[in-house]
Amino acid sequence: MAKLYFRYGAMNSGKSTAVLQVAYNYEERSQQVLIAKPAIDTKGDAAVISRLGVDRRADFLITPTDNLRDLVHEHANNDLIIPGIKNLSCLLIDEAQFLTRDQVDQALELAVLDGVPVLCYGIRTDFLTNGFPGSLRLMELAHTLEELKTICRCGRKAMFNARKFDGEFIFEGAQVAIDGVEVTYESLCGVCYLNERG
């Protein structure tokens, strides 16, 4: 039976790099993969971008109203070299925290009913340490949970994603603000996060 995987970590823990590496490994062995990401992640438009400078265009974007299972079936039939869901070796989803709860349920259906391994990569919590709906559902349903680790500026394991505006830490605002021009993020351990929060 295929499985639903959730590989999570603080920002800058190498999640997007891992997506690209897994795709490369499958394709090097003549296996077919699809890469997707939620459309709300406007960083890189339709590309999965690694901090290492490697990127790749996603095969499709997922909007909040999309049925993920239907989208995958459509793209497996239209975009694969050898069409059909049975010829899909895996689905890779970057920024999976932005999936809806229903879409995570549909990811489970893809794995269990269609036999397609689904590997989701994302963060668990926002800058206020509140869980994202997609991440919470993945924590409930995934067959396998794996933490990808990174370090805080102090050298401890980073767990939290602190938001900065104009270089200053902020602890209020909307749950989603894409890293870029107006805001940036820093991965912090619990001690550094709580010290910054005051």
Side-chain angles (χ1 to χ4, degrees):
M1 177 183 77
K3 293 182 179 179
L4 173 61
Y5 299 83
F6 184 34
R7 295 177 176 165
Y8 64 90
M11 295 182 81
N12 302 322
S13 60
K15 297 176 299 298
S16 296
T17 301
V19 168
L20 298 172
Q21 182 65 50
V22 169
Y24 179 86
N25 289 345
Y26 271 95
E27 292 171 341
E28 187 179 42
R29 290 158 182 81
S30 300
Q31 304 293 307
Q32 298 187 98
V33 303
L34 289 174
I35 297 178
K37 74 174 195 173
I40 193 171
D41 177 28
T42 56
K43 184 177 63 202
D45 294 322
V48 173
I49 298 176
S50 162
R51 289 181 301 128
L52 300 179
V54 180
D55 63 62
R56 174 175 168 169
R57 187 167 186 78
D59 294 296
F60 61 93
L61 299 178
I62 308 162
T63 68
T65 58
D66 285 331
N67 180 301
L68 180 61
R69 191 172 179 208
D70 290 347
L71 269 179
V72 173
H73 276 266
E74 174 187 332
H75 285 276
N77 287 325
N78 296 329
D79 298 350
L80 297 184
I81 295 169
I82 303 172
I85 196 74
K86 296 298 180 198
N87 296 312
L88 180 60
S89 296
C90 76
L91 170 65
L92 300 163
I93 302 176
D94 196 27
E95 304 294 352
Q97 70 271 9
F98 297 134
L99 295 174
T100 66
R101 290 179 61 84
D102 287 343
Q103 288 167 340
V104 174
D105 291 350
Q106 294 152 11
L108 179 67
E109 292 171 4
L110 279 163
V112 175
L113 300 177
D114 296 320
V116 177
V118 180
L119 290 76
C120 296
Y121 294 79
I123 58 178
R124 286 184 307 163
T125 60
D126 64 17
F127 74 112
L128 297 173
T129 70
N130 296 316
F132 285 95
S135 299
L136 293 172
R137 191 65 175 147
L138 282 162
M139 298 294 277
E140 294 167 346
L141 291 184
H143 296 94
T144 301
L145 300 170
E146 179 184 344
E147 183 180 16
L148 303 176
K149 297 175 180 70
T150 191
I151 58 170
C152 177
R153 61 188 178 199
C154 70
R156 295 182 189 99
K157 182 181 95 165
M159 295 178 51
F160 301 107
N161 307 297
R163 183 181 290 173
K164 288 180 165 181
F165 182 79
D166 285 338
E168 299 294 323
F169 288 102
I170 60 170
F171 295 91
E172 59 183 31
Q175 184 174 49
V176 178
I178 303 301
D179 188 19
V181 177
E182 294 187 11
V183 299
T184 58
Y185 292 88
E186 184 176 343
S187 302
L188 298 175
C189 70
V191 172
C192 292
Y193 179 87
L194 292 174
N195 283 339
E196 291 295 346
R197 192 178 73 180

Short mmCIF file of all heavy atoms in Angstrom, two decimals, residues 32-91:
data_model
loop_
_atom_site.label_atom_id
_atom_site.label_comp_id
_atom_site.label_asym_id
_atom_site.label_seq_id
_atom_site.Cartn_x
_atom_site.Cartn_y
_atom_site.Cartn_z
N GLN A 32 8.06 8.36 -13.11
CA GLN A 32 7.34 9.59 -13.37
C GLN A 32 6.80 10.18 -12.07
O GLN A 32 6.21 9.47 -11.25
CB GLN A 32 6.18 9.33 -14.34
CG GLN A 32 6.65 8.82 -15.70
CD GLN A 32 5.52 8.73 -16.68
OE1 GLN A 32 5.31 9.61 -17.49
NE2 GLN A 32 4.75 7.64 -16.60
N VAL A 33 7.02 11.49 -11.90
CA VAL A 33 6.53 12.20 -10.72
C VAL A 33 5.77 13.44 -11.15
O VAL A 33 5.96 13.96 -12.25
CB VAL A 33 7.69 12.62 -9.78
CG1 VAL A 33 8.50 11.42 -9.34
CG2 VAL A 33 8.58 13.66 -10.41
N LEU A 34 4.91 13.91 -10.26
CA LEU A 34 4.29 15.22 -10.41
C LEU A 34 4.66 16.04 -9.19
O LEU A 34 4.69 15.52 -8.06
CB LEU A 34 2.77 15.10 -10.50
CG LEU A 34 2.19 14.51 -11.79
CD1 LEU A 34 0.67 14.33 -11.66
CD2 LEU A 34 2.52 15.38 -13.00
N ILE A 35 4.96 17.32 -9.43
CA ILE A 35 5.26 18.26 -8.35
C ILE A 35 4.17 19.31 -8.34
O ILE A 35 3.82 19.87 -9.38
CB ILE A 35 6.63 18.92 -8.54
CG1 ILE A 35 7.75 17.87 -8.49
CG2 ILE A 35 6.86 19.99 -7.48
CD1 ILE A 35 9.13 18.45 -8.73
N ALA A 36 3.63 19.60 -7.15
CA ALA A 36 2.58 20.60 -7.00
C ALA A 36 2.89 21.48 -5.81
O ALA A 36 3.67 21.12 -4.93
CB ALA A 36 1.23 19.92 -6.82
N LYS A 37 2.26 22.64 -5.80
CA LYS A 37 2.31 23.51 -4.62
C LYS A 37 1.05 24.36 -4.61
O LYS A 37 0.45 24.63 -5.65
CB LYS A 37 3.58 24.36 -4.60
CG LYS A 37 3.61 25.51 -5.57
CD LYS A 37 4.86 26.36 -5.33
CE LYS A 37 4.73 27.71 -6.02
NZ LYS A 37 5.84 28.60 -5.69
N PRO A 38 0.61 24.77 -3.41
CA PRO A 38 -0.55 25.64 -3.32
C PRO A 38 -0.30 26.98 -4.00
O PRO A 38 0.79 27.55 -3.90
CB PRO A 38 -0.75 25.81 -1.81
CG PRO A 38 -0.16 24.55 -1.23
CD PRO A 38 1.05 24.29 -2.10
N ALA A 39 -1.31 27.48 -4.69
CA ALA A 39 -1.19 28.73 -5.44
C ALA A 39 -0.97 29.93 -4.53
O ALA A 39 -0.41 30.94 -4.98
CB ALA A 39 -2.45 28.94 -6.28
N ILE A 40 -1.34 29.82 -3.26
CA ILE A 40 -1.14 30.94 -2.33
C ILE A 40 0.34 31.26 -2.15
O ILE A 40 0.71 32.39 -1.83
CB ILE A 40 -1.81 30.65 -0.97
CG1 ILE A 40 -1.89 31.93 -0.12
CG2 ILE A 40 -1.09 29.55 -0.22
CD1 ILE A 40 -2.71 31.79 1.12
N ASP A 41 1.21 30.28 -2.38
CA ASP A 41 2.65 30.51 -2.27
C ASP A 41 3.12 31.17 -3.57
O ASP A 41 3.45 30.49 -4.53
CB ASP A 41 3.40 29.20 -2.02
CG ASP A 41 4.91 29.42 -1.98
OD1 ASP A 41 5.35 30.53 -1.63
OD2 ASP A 41 5.64 28.48 -2.33
N THR A 42 3.15 32.49 -3.58
CA THR A 42 3.50 33.23 -4.78
C THR A 42 5.00 33.39 -4.97
O THR A 42 5.45 33.90 -5.99
CB THR A 42 2.85 34.62 -4.76
OG1 THR A 42 3.24 35.29 -3.55
CG2 THR A 42 1.33 34.50 -4.82
N LYS A 43 5.77 32.97 -3.99
CA LYS A 43 7.23 33.06 -4.11
C LYS A 43 7.68 32.15 -5.25
O LYS A 43 7.45 30.95 -5.24
CB LYS A 43 7.88 32.63 -2.79
CG LYS A 43 9.39 32.76 -2.74
CD LYS A 43 9.92 32.38 -1.38
CE LYS A 43 9.60 30.93 -1.12
NZ LYS A 43 9.57 30.50 0.23
N GLY A 44 8.27 32.75 -6.27
CA GLY A 44 8.72 31.96 -7.41
C GLY A 44 7.62 31.64 -8.40
O GLY A 44 7.81 30.80 -9.27
N ASP A 45 6.47 32.30 -8.25
CA ASP A 45 5.32 32.02 -9.11
C ASP A 45 4.99 30.54 -9.07
O ASP A 45 4.63 30.03 -8.04
CB ASP A 45 5.56 32.53 -10.53
CG ASP A 45 5.66 34.05 -10.59
OD1 ASP A 45 4.90 34.71 -9.86
OD2 ASP A 45 6.50 34.57 -11.33
N ALA A 46 5.17 29.84 -10.18
CA ALA A 46 4.81 28.42 -10.24
C ALA A 46 6.02 27.52 -10.04
O ALA A 46 5.96 26.34 -10.38
CB ALA A 46 4.13 28.12 -11.57
N ALA A 47 7.09 28.03 -9.47
CA ALA A 47 8.29 27.23 -9.30
C ALA A 47 8.49 26.83 -7.84
O ALA A 47 8.11 27.54 -6.92
CB ALA A 47 9.52 27.99 -9.79
N VAL A 48 9.11 25.67 -7.65
CA VAL A 48 9.62 25.26 -6.35
C VAL A 48 11.06 25.75 -6.31
O VAL A 48 11.85 25.39 -7.18
CB VAL A 48 9.54 23.72 -6.17
CG1 VAL A 48 10.23 23.29 -4.89
CG2 VAL A 48 8.09 23.27 -6.20
N ILE A 49 11.37 26.57 -5.32
CA ILE A 49 12.68 27.22 -5.27
C ILE A 49 13.42 26.81 -4.01
O ILE A 49 12.89 26.94 -2.90
CB ILE A 49 12.53 28.75 -5.31
CG1 ILE A 49 11.86 29.18 -6.61
CG2 ILE A 49 13.88 29.43 -5.16
CD1 ILE A 49 11.59 30.65 -6.69
N SER A 50 14.65 26.35 -4.19
CA SER A 50 15.52 26.00 -3.08
C SER A 50 16.43 27.19 -2.78
O SER A 50 16.85 27.90 -3.68
CB SER A 50 16.35 24.77 -3.45
OG SER A 50 17.46 24.66 -2.62
N ARG A 51 16.77 27.37 -1.50
CA ARG A 51 17.74 28.42 -1.13
C ARG A 51 19.10 28.17 -1.76
O ARG A 51 19.92 29.06 -1.84
CB ARG A 51 17.91 28.47 0.40
CG ARG A 51 16.74 29.01 1.13
CD ARG A 51 16.98 29.05 2.63
NE ARG A 51 17.28 27.74 3.16
CZ ARG A 51 18.34 27.44 3.91
NH1 ARG A 51 19.20 28.36 4.24
NH2 ARG A 51 18.54 26.22 4.35
N LEU A 52 19.35 26.94 -2.20
CA LEU A 52 20.64 26.61 -2.82
C LEU A 52 20.73 27.10 -4.25
O LEU A 52 21.76 26.93 -4.90
CB LEU A 52 20.86 25.09 -2.78
CG LEU A 52 20.90 24.46 -1.39
CD1 LEU A 52 21.10 22.96 -1.50
CD2 LEU A 52 21.99 25.08 -0.54
N GLY A 53 19.65 27.70 -4.76
CA GLY A 53 19.66 28.23 -6.11
C GLY A 53 19.11 27.29 -7.17
O GLY A 53 19.16 27.60 -8.36
N VAL A 54 18.59 26.16 -6.75
CA VAL A 54 18.00 25.20 -7.68
C VAL A 54 16.49 25.44 -7.69
O VAL A 54 15.89 25.71 -6.65
CB VAL A 54 18.29 23.75 -7.23
CG1 VAL A 54 17.69 22.75 -8.19
CG2 VAL A 54 19.80 23.54 -7.09
N ASP A 55 15.89 25.38 -8.86
CA ASP A 55 14.44 25.51 -8.91
C ASP A 55 13.88 24.65 -10.04
O ASP A 55 14.62 24.17 -10.90
CB ASP A 55 14.00 26.97 -9.09
CG ASP A 55 14.47 27.58 -10.38
OD1 ASP A 55 14.09 27.09 -11.46
OD2 ASP A 55 15.23 28.57 -10.33
N ARG A 56 12.57 24.47 -10.00
CA ARG A 56 11.88 23.69 -11.01
C ARG A 56 10.43 24.10 -11.02
O ARG A 56 9.82 24.29 -9.97
CB ARG A 56 12.00 22.20 -10.69
CG ARG A 56 11.20 21.32 -11.62
CD ARG A 56 11.44 19.88 -11.34
NE ARG A 56 10.47 19.04 -12.02
CZ ARG A 56 10.59 17.74 -12.09
NH1 ARG A 56 11.61 17.12 -11.53
NH2 ARG A 56 9.67 17.02 -12.71
N ARG A 57 9.89 24.23 -12.18
CA ARG A 57 8.48 24.60 -12.32
C ARG A 57 7.61 23.47 -11.79
O ARG A 57 7.81 22.30 -12.10
CB ARG A 57 8.18 24.87 -13.79
CG ARG A 57 6.79 25.41 -14.04
CD ARG A 57 6.67 25.95 -15.45
NE ARG A 57 5.40 26.60 -15.65
CZ ARG A 57 5.10 27.81 -15.22
NH1 ARG A 57 6.00 28.52 -14.58
NH2 ARG A 57 3.90 28.34 -15.43
N ALA A 58 6.61 23.85 -10.99
CA ALA A 58 5.63 22.87 -10.52
C ALA A 58 4.78 22.42 -11.70
O ALA A 58 4.52 23.20 -12.63
CB ALA A 58 4.76 23.48 -9.42
N ASP A 59 4.34 21.18 -11.67
CA ASP A 59 3.48 20.68 -12.73
C ASP A 59 2.09 21.30 -12.66
O ASP A 59 1.43 21.47 -13.67
CB ASP A 59 3.38 19.15 -12.66
CG ASP A 59 4.73 18.51 -12.95
OD1 ASP A 59 5.21 18.66 -14.09
OD2 ASP A 59 5.29 17.89 -12.03
N PHE A 60 1.65 21.64 -11.43
CA PHE A 60 0.38 22.34 -11.28
C PHE A 60 0.32 23.02 -9.92
O PHE A 60 1.05 22.66 -9.00
CB PHE A 60 -0.82 21.42 -11.50
CG PHE A 60 -0.92 20.26 -10.53
CD1 PHE A 60 -1.65 20.37 -9.37
CD2 PHE A 60 -0.28 19.05 -10.81
CE1 PHE A 60 -1.76 19.30 -8.49
CE2 PHE A 60 -0.39 17.98 -9.94
CZ PHE A 60 -1.13 18.10 -8.77
N LEU A 61 -0.54 24.04 -9.85
CA LEU A 61 -0.80 24.75 -8.61
C LEU A 61 -2.16 24.32 -8.07
O LEU A 61 -3.05 23.97 -8.83
CB LEU A 61 -0.80 26.26 -8.86
CG LEU A 61 0.51 26.85 -9.39
CD1 LEU A 61 0.35 28.35 -9.65
CD2 LEU A 61 1.67 26.60 -8.44
N ILE A 62 -2.29 24.39 -6.75
CA ILE A 62 -3.51 23.96 -6.07
C ILE A 62 -4.18 25.18 -5.45
O ILE A 62 -3.58 25.85 -4.61
CB ILE A 62 -3.18 22.93 -4.97
CG1 ILE A 62 -2.33 21.79 -5.52
CG2 ILE A 62 -4.45 22.41 -4.32
CD1 ILE A 62 -1.60 20.99 -4.45
N THR A 63 -5.41 25.46 -5.85
CA THR A 63 -6.16 26.53 -5.21
C THR A 63 -7.01 25.93 -4.08
O THR A 63 -7.25 24.72 -4.07
CB THR A 63 -7.08 27.27 -6.21
OG1 THR A 63 -8.13 26.39 -6.62
CG2 THR A 63 -6.30 27.76 -7.43
N PRO A 64 -7.48 26.76 -3.15
CA PRO A 64 -8.24 26.22 -2.01
C PRO A 64 -9.52 25.48 -2.40
O PRO A 64 -9.99 24.65 -1.63
CB PRO A 64 -8.56 27.46 -1.18
CG PRO A 64 -7.50 28.44 -1.53
CD PRO A 64 -7.19 28.19 -2.97
N THR A 65 -10.07 25.75 -3.56
CA THR A 65 -11.32 25.09 -3.95
C THR A 65 -11.09 23.84 -4.81
O THR A 65 -12.04 23.14 -5.14
CB THR A 65 -12.22 26.06 -4.74
OG1 THR A 65 -11.51 26.53 -5.90
CG2 THR A 65 -12.62 27.25 -3.87
N ASP A 66 -9.84 23.55 -5.15
CA ASP A 66 -9.54 22.39 -6.00
C ASP A 66 -9.72 21.09 -5.24
O ASP A 66 -9.42 21.00 -4.03
CB ASP A 66 -8.10 22.44 -6.51
CG ASP A 66 -7.90 23.46 -7.62
OD1 ASP A 66 -8.86 23.73 -8.36
OD2 ASP A 66 -6.77 23.98 -7.74
N ASN A 67 -10.15 20.06 -5.96
CA ASN A 67 -10.13 18.69 -5.44
C ASN A 67 -8.78 18.12 -5.85
O ASN A 67 -8.51 17.93 -7.04
CB ASN A 67 -11.27 17.87 -6.04
CG ASN A 67 -11.27 16.45 -5.53
OD1 ASN A 67 -10.31 15.70 -5.68
ND2 ASN A 67 -12.38 16.06 -4.91
N LEU A 68 -7.92 17.87 -4.89
CA LEU A 68 -6.55 17.43 -5.17
C LEU A 68 -6.53 16.12 -5.95
O LEU A 68 -5.75 15.96 -6.90
CB LEU A 68 -5.76 17.30 -3.87
CG LEU A 68 -4.31 16.84 -4.02
CD1 LEU A 68 -3.51 17.83 -4.87
CD2 LEU A 68 -3.66 16.65 -2.66
N ARG A 69 -7.37 15.20 -5.56
CA ARG A 69 -7.38 13.89 -6.24
C ARG A 69 -7.76 14.05 -7.72
O ARG A 69 -7.13 13.47 -8.60
CB ARG A 69 -8.34 12.95 -5.53
CG ARG A 69 -8.23 11.51 -6.00
CD ARG A 69 -9.06 10.60 -5.13
NE ARG A 69 -8.98 9.22 -5.59
CZ ARG A 69 -9.93 8.33 -5.41
NH1 ARG A 69 -11.04 8.66 -4.77
NH2 ARG A 69 -9.78 7.09 -5.86
N ASP A 70 -8.76 14.87 -8.00
CA ASP A 70 -9.16 15.12 -9.39
C ASP A 70 -8.03 15.78 -10.17
O ASP A 70 -7.77 15.43 -11.33
CB ASP A 70 -10.40 16.00 -9.45
CG ASP A 70 -11.67 15.28 -8.97
OD1 ASP A 70 -11.64 14.04 -8.82
OD2 ASP A 70 -12.67 15.99 -8.73
N LEU A 71 -7.36 16.75 -9.55
CA LEU A 71 -6.24 17.43 -10.22
C LEU A 71 -5.14 16.45 -10.60
O LEU A 71 -4.58 16.50 -11.70
CB LEU A 71 -5.64 18.50 -9.30
CG LEU A 71 -6.17 19.91 -9.37
CD1 LEU A 71 -5.43 20.78 -8.35
CD2 LEU A 71 -6.05 20.50 -10.75
N VAL A 72 -4.79 15.57 -9.68
CA VAL A 72 -3.72 14.61 -9.94
C VAL A 72 -4.12 13.66 -11.06
O VAL A 72 -3.32 13.37 -11.96
CB VAL A 72 -3.33 13.85 -8.65
CG1 VAL A 72 -2.35 12.73 -8.95
CG2 VAL A 72 -2.74 14.83 -7.64
N HIS A 73 -5.36 13.18 -11.04
CA HIS A 73 -5.81 12.30 -12.12
C HIS A 73 -5.74 13.02 -13.47
O HIS A 73 -5.28 12.44 -14.46
CB HIS A 73 -7.25 11.82 -11.86
CG HIS A 73 -7.31 10.63 -10.95
ND1 HIS A 73 -7.34 9.34 -11.42
CD2 HIS A 73 -7.31 10.55 -9.60
CE1 HIS A 73 -7.38 8.50 -10.39
NE2 HIS A 73 -7.37 9.21 -9.28
N GLU A 74 -6.16 14.27 -13.50
CA GLU A 74 -6.12 15.05 -14.74
C GLU A 74 -4.69 15.19 -15.25
O GLU A 74 -4.41 14.96 -16.43
CB GLU A 74 -6.73 16.43 -14.49
CG GLU A 74 -6.62 17.39 -15.65
CD GLU A 74 -7.08 18.79 -15.28
OE1 GLU A 74 -7.93 18.93 -14.38
OE2 GLU A 74 -6.58 19.73 -15.89
N HIS A 75 -3.77 15.56 -14.37
CA HIS A 75 -2.38 15.77 -14.79
C HIS A 75 -1.67 14.45 -15.10
O HIS A 75 -0.81 14.40 -15.98
CB HIS A 75 -1.63 16.60 -13.76
CG HIS A 75 -2.02 18.04 -13.82
ND1 HIS A 75 -1.46 18.93 -14.70
CD2 HIS A 75 -2.96 18.74 -13.14
CE1 HIS A 75 -2.01 20.12 -14.56
NE2 HIS A 75 -2.94 20.03 -13.61
N ALA A 76 -2.03 13.39 -14.39
CA ALA A 76 -1.44 12.08 -14.71
C ALA A 76 -1.86 11.63 -16.11
O ALA A 76 -1.08 11.02 -16.84
CB ALA A 76 -1.84 11.05 -13.68
N ASN A 77 -3.08 11.96 -16.50
CA ASN A 77 -3.58 11.57 -17.83
C ASN A 77 -3.07 12.48 -18.94
O ASN A 77 -2.93 12.05 -20.07
CB ASN A 77 -5.10 11.54 -17.84
CG ASN A 77 -5.64 10.35 -17.08
OD1 ASN A 77 -5.06 9.27 -17.09
ND2 ASN A 77 -6.74 10.54 -16.38
N ASN A 78 -2.76 13.74 -18.60
CA ASN A 78 -2.39 14.69 -19.64
C ASN A 78 -0.90 15.03 -19.70
O ASN A 78 -0.40 15.37 -20.76
CB ASN A 78 -3.17 16.00 -19.46
CG ASN A 78 -4.65 15.81 -19.64
OD1 ASN A 78 -5.07 14.95 -20.41
ND2 ASN A 78 -5.44 16.59 -18.94
N ASP A 79 -0.19 14.96 -18.56
CA ASP A 79 1.17 15.48 -18.51
C ASP A 79 2.27 14.42 -18.45
O ASP A 79 3.43 14.73 -18.67
CB ASP A 79 1.34 16.41 -17.30
CG ASP A 79 0.44 17.63 -17.36
OD1 ASP A 79 -0.16 17.86 -18.43
OD2 ASP A 79 0.35 18.35 -16.36
N LEU A 80 1.92 13.19 -18.14
CA LEU A 80 2.95 12.16 -18.03
C LEU A 80 3.35 11.65 -19.40
O LEU A 80 2.55 11.62 -20.33
CB LEU A 80 2.45 10.99 -17.17
CG LEU A 80 2.13 11.30 -15.71
CD1 LEU A 80 1.75 10.02 -14.98
CD2 LEU A 80 3.28 11.98 -14.99
N ILE A 81 4.60 11.24 -19.51
CA ILE A 81 5.09 10.67 -20.77
C ILE A 81 4.29 9.42 -21.12
O ILE A 81 3.88 9.22 -22.25
CB ILE A 81 6.60 10.36 -20.66
CG1 ILE A 81 7.37 11.66 -20.49
CG2 ILE A 81 7.09 9.59 -21.87
CD1 ILE A 81 8.82 11.50 -20.10
N ILE A 82 4.08 8.58 -20.12
CA ILE A 82 3.17 7.43 -20.27
C ILE A 82 1.96 7.77 -19.40
O ILE A 82 2.03 7.70 -18.18
CB ILE A 82 3.84 6.12 -19.82
CG1 ILE A 82 5.12 5.86 -20.60
CG2 ILE A 82 2.86 4.95 -19.98
CD1 ILE A 82 5.93 4.70 -20.09
N PRO A 83 0.83 8.19 -20.01
CA PRO A 83 -0.32 8.70 -19.25
C PRO A 83 -0.94 7.65 -18.33
O PRO A 83 -0.84 6.45 -18.56
CB PRO A 83 -1.31 9.12 -20.33
CG PRO A 83 -0.51 9.25 -21.58
CD PRO A 83 0.62 8.27 -21.45
N GLY A 84 -1.61 8.16 -17.30
CA GLY A 84 -2.40 7.31 -16.42
C GLY A 84 -1.90 7.32 -14.99
O GLY A 84 -0.71 7.36 -14.73
N ILE A 85 -2.85 7.27 -14.05
CA ILE A 85 -2.53 7.33 -12.63
C ILE A 85 -1.65 6.16 -12.20
O ILE A 85 -0.80 6.30 -11.32
CB ILE A 85 -3.83 7.42 -11.78
CG1 ILE A 85 -3.51 7.89 -10.35
CG2 ILE A 85 -4.59 6.11 -11.77
CD1 ILE A 85 -3.19 9.33 -10.22
N LYS A 86 -1.80 5.01 -12.82
CA LYS A 86 -1.00 3.84 -12.44
C LYS A 86 0.47 3.99 -12.84
O LYS A 86 1.33 3.27 -12.34
CB LYS A 86 -1.57 2.56 -13.07
CG LYS A 86 -2.97 2.21 -12.58
CD LYS A 86 -2.98 1.93 -11.09
CE LYS A 86 -4.37 1.58 -10.62
NZ LYS A 86 -4.53 1.71 -9.19
N ASN A 87 0.76 4.93 -13.73
CA ASN A 87 2.13 5.18 -14.15
C ASN A 87 2.80 6.29 -13.36
O ASN A 87 3.96 6.63 -13.61
CB ASN A 87 2.17 5.50 -15.64
CG ASN A 87 1.71 4.33 -16.48
OD1 ASN A 87 2.16 3.21 -16.27
ND2 ASN A 87 0.80 4.57 -17.40
N LEU A 88 2.09 6.84 -12.38
CA LEU A 88 2.65 7.90 -11.54
C LEU A 88 3.34 7.26 -10.34
O LEU A 88 2.73 6.55 -9.56
CB LEU A 88 1.52 8.83 -11.08
CG LEU A 88 1.91 10.00 -10.19
CD1 LEU A 88 2.92 10.92 -10.87
CD2 LEU A 88 0.66 10.78 -9.78
N SER A 89 4.64 7.53 -10.21
CA SER A 89 5.41 6.93 -9.12
C SER A 89 5.21 7.64 -7.80
O SER A 89 5.26 7.02 -6.74
CB SER A 89 6.90 6.92 -9.47
OG SER A 89 7.11 6.10 -10.59
N CYS A 90 5.01 8.96 -7.84
CA CYS A 90 4.70 9.69 -6.61
C CYS A 90 4.26 11.11 -6.93
O CYS A 90 4.54 11.64 -8.01
CB CYS A 90 5.87 9.70 -5.63
SG CYS A 90 7.21 10.82 -6.05
N LEU A 91 3.56 11.70 -5.97
CA LEU A 91 3.18 13.10 -6.00
C LEU A 91 3.97 13.80 -4.90
O LEU A 91 3.97 13.35 -3.75
CB LEU A 91 1.68 13.27 -5.74
CG LEU A 91 1.18 14.70 -5.51
CD1 LEU A 91 1.36 15.55 -6.76
CD2 LEU A 91 -0.27 14.69 -5.05
#
